[in-house]
Amino acid sequence: MSRLVMKFGGTSVADIDRIKNVARHVKREVDAGHEVAVIVSAMAGETNKLVEYCRQTSVLHDAREYDAIVAAGEQVTSGLLAIALQAIGVNARSWQGWQIPVLTSNQHGSARIEGIDGAEIVKRFKERREVAVVAGFQGLHKETGRITTLGRGGSDTSAVAVAAAIRADRCDIYTDVDGVYTTDPRVVPKARRLDRIAFEEMLEMASLGAKVMQVRSIELGMVHRVRIFVRSSFDKPEDIDPHGVPPGTLICDEEEILEQQTVTGIAFSKDEAQISIRRVQDKPGIAAAIFGPLAEANINVDMIVQNVSADGATTDLTFTVPAADFERAKDTLSVAKAQIGYARLDGATDVTKVSVIGVGMRSHAGVAAKAFRALADRGINIRAITTSEIKFSVLIDAAYTELAVRTLHSLYGLDKS
Ligand code: ADP
Ligand code: ASP
Ligand code: MG
């Protein structure tokens, strides 16, 4: 007997038929003798709808009320799945974040989980063979007692956190693809499913744009050593051999991966904006004058490039910020213009950050250089570059996103045969 967490995302619970399908997946595991906690997302599109309601009511709304509203989607699916399970003879009970409780920080809209007491769930496994159906994405601020949410895609984090709290043997993430691919399979049909991916690589893939898992869920999995298995909810429950190994991707420690490639995957993100500050005096303290105010405004700066201005005497600084913070960043820099002293500020939002990831890069030189050549051969201009131990990223015109991703995917031998 194992203890399992099964998480189902929005498309997996998109309508009543899909919820009934999920119930059969859960029954399969219960019948095999396992103790099961299920984490559900809202029905596909539901959270977007609720976010939009908030925006339409008032653009500048109270974050505490935003959370009260957007947490509602998961309340519905948790109740519906409990009913669907009961209807097929499985003992089940729904749990909202505040009922468990999932205690979080006070950052409404992107709260961090700080503690979960899994004792009651485990007690009910033992005493009643009861399945816990937990509403993902939501928690409770430990001091104010108000409902919080964990940021978009946060049900993944709920699932991993519950798995850690109840010491589950595995956390299965059921989604609309059958695993983690070398890149988004919806953009590159030649993408290949990975049997295994190291936590560190998955963390980079997720941070750099692969939305298959929320970043914080991987951080938690790494810290609490949760075995995360990404698989499809679209397989018919009846077709799954309870003793076989289903298709999917195990997120695990690097040591568990025998055949390590230099490059594991490619991620891309269109949620970036570029800012260039032209003709800045090249003197000590300038970087602090620019990035200090941005940091105070809580704006994350990512890629930074400094080069000589066209006049040869001053310097140009180019960097990226999240697209959502673009206007605020420009305003902040305009206010600080006198202090910084620059001639012009240019910006662009039609840019994409393409990133190449692999733990094998630690021991191989020249991996990035190969990409720069291949992109140049396709006429793709690189606006900025960043590198770190196990990845590098390039900023390019958004129009070339697919071409760049496909080019690099082939270049590193990732295409499926
Ligand atoms: P869920 O609703 O189940 O949480 P998401 O939409 O959040 O599902 O995540 C699944 C999607 O992530 C897939 O449909 C796929 O388009 C996208 N995706 C992006 N990069 C990858 C990747 N490298 N591997 C698999 N899926 C990816
Ligand atoms: N329903 C939430 C969202 O759409 C959480 C999730 O699906 O993981 O972001
Ligand atoms: Mg998701």
Side-chain angles (χ1 to χ4, degrees), residues 7-10 41-43 47-48 70 74 136-137 151-156:
K7 180 258 172 178
F8 294 88
S41 289
M43 290 166 148
T47 310
N48 285 348
V70 301
E74 274 71 8
F137 184 51
R152 299 306 305 270
S155 295
D156 297 326

Side-chain angles (χ1 to χ4, degrees), residues 179-200:
V180 178
Y181 279 67
T182 45
T183 192
D184 190 340
R186 297 190 198 286
V187 174
V188 180
K190 285 184 180 163
R192 217 165 7 97
R193 192 182 66 230
L194 297 160
D195 289 334
R196 293 179 174 219
I197 184 169
F199 277 115
E200 279 186 63

Side-chain angles (χ1 to χ4, degrees), residues 199-216:
F199 277 115
E200 279 186 63
E201 292 171 324
M202 191 63 235
L203 195 58
E204 293 286 5
M205 291 277 280
S207 322
L208 295 167
K211 77 161 187 169
V212 59
M213 292 291 291
Q214 200 199 32
V215 177
R216 281 186 194 160

